[in-house]
Amino acid sequence: MTATDRSLELITTAAQAAADKLAHDVIAYDVSDVLSITDAFLVASAPNDRQVKSIVDEIEERLSKELGAKPVRREGDREARWILLDYIDIVVHVQHSEERVFYALERLWKDCPEIELPADARATRGKGEEHAKLRAEEDATEFGELR
């Protein structure tokens, strides 16, 4: 991996912030060998727009307070389906679960090395799928009761 120590510090802090706000499927990639514009991507998701915003706000606050980092660009606020925070060294993508499945960023970056994240962030893996299954079961139960 060739991501800088600063990039790894930003990614680790952002990943922990996302996990603390109950993000799903937090993952990070070292994209420094294939992109010249940034070192790393962090991807996280949430099942609703309000939680997407909450995760993004927490990441932004932690990176500012703990590391003195402010994004140079923030996109996607209006609809909160996919919010991007560009810190130059890293880019954070927080997506609504439906957008995460549709755009499948992991497929695009699967050949890039994965960055080791804190245990809390690693524990979020599979949460999106678990949530989708629970939601489907609830919908099926509700639909069955309406008959």
Side-chain angles (χ1 to χ4, degrees), residues 1 15 32 53 64 75 78 90-91 118 130 146:
M1 282 197 283
S32 60
K53 277 185 99 81
S64 177
E75 296 180 3
R78 193 172 310 155
I90 70 165
V91 176
E130 283 177 30
L146 292 176

Side-chain angles (χ1 to χ4, degrees), residues 4-42:
T4 65
D5 289 342
R6 174 67 173 171
S7 297
L8 296 175
E9 182 180 39
L10 290 166
I11 284 287
T12 300
T13 302
Q16 184 63 54
D20 289 348
K21 285 295 182 175
L22 307 178
H24 294 169
D25 304 310
V26 179
I27 192 164
Y29 295 101
D30 180 339
V31 296
S32 60
D33 286 340
V34 294
L35 291 177
S36 60
I37 58 171
T38 193
D39 281 350
F41 279 164
L42 179 75

Side-chain angles (χ1 to χ4, degrees), residues 24 49 59 78 85 106 117 123 130:
H24 294 169
D49 302 351
I59 290 170
R78 193 172 310 155
L85 296 173
E106 290 91 342
L117 297 176
E130 283 177 30

Side-chain angles (χ1 to χ4, degrees), residues 23-25 45-47 97 124-134:
H24 294 169
D25 304 310
S45 55
S97 299
T124 67
R125 302 281 172 84
K127 296 289 184 188
E129 190 174 329
E130 283 177 30
H131 183 269
K133 283 180 184 176
L134 285 173

Side-chain angles (χ1 to χ4, degrees), residues 3-142:
T4 65
D5 289 342
R6 174 67 173 171
S7 297
L8 296 175
E9 182 180 39
L10 290 166
I11 284 287
T12 300
T13 302
Q16 184 63 54
D20 289 348
K21 285 295 182 175
L22 307 178
H24 294 169
D25 304 310
V26 179
I27 192 164
Y29 295 101
D30 180 339
V31 296
S32 60
D33 286 340
V34 294
L35 291 177
S36 60
I37 58 171
T38 193
D39 281 350
F41 279 164
L42 179 75
V43 182
S45 55
N48 61 64
D49 302 351
R50 181 178 287 161
Q51 191 175 356
V52 167
K53 277 185 99 81
S54 177
I55 293 164
V56 167
D57 290 345
E58 183 69 13
I59 290 170
E60 206 168 3
E61 184 175 326
R62 290 258 193 101
L63 290 179
S64 177
K65 280 184 178 177
E66 295 176 19
L67 303 175
K70 296 189 185 303
V72 295
R73 190 173 73 215
R74 180 175 172 154
E75 296 180 3
D77 268 334
R78 193 172 310 155
E79 294 184 23
R81 302 287 295 181
W82 180 349
I83 299 177
L84 179 143
L85 296 173
D86 183 351
Y87 286 88
I88 298 176
D89 295 325
I90 70 165
V91 176
V92 176
H93 301 269
V94 182
Q95 300 175 297
H96 188 286
S97 299
E98 293 169 0
E99 269 67 14
R100 177 91 178 251
V101 170
F102 183 79
Y103 289 101
L105 294 179
E106 290 91 342
R107 231 181 29 232
L108 293 172
W109 306 109
K110 69 179 181 211
D111 294 334
C112 295
E114 199 173 312
I115 296 172
E116 183 72 22
L117 297 176
D120 290 344
R122 288 192 314 269
T124 67
R125 302 281 172 84
K127 296 289 184 188
E129 190 174 329
E130 283 177 30
H131 183 269
K133 283 180 184 176
L134 285 173
R135 183 90 188 250
E137 288 171 10
E138 289 171 0
D139 289 349
T141 301
E142 185 177 316

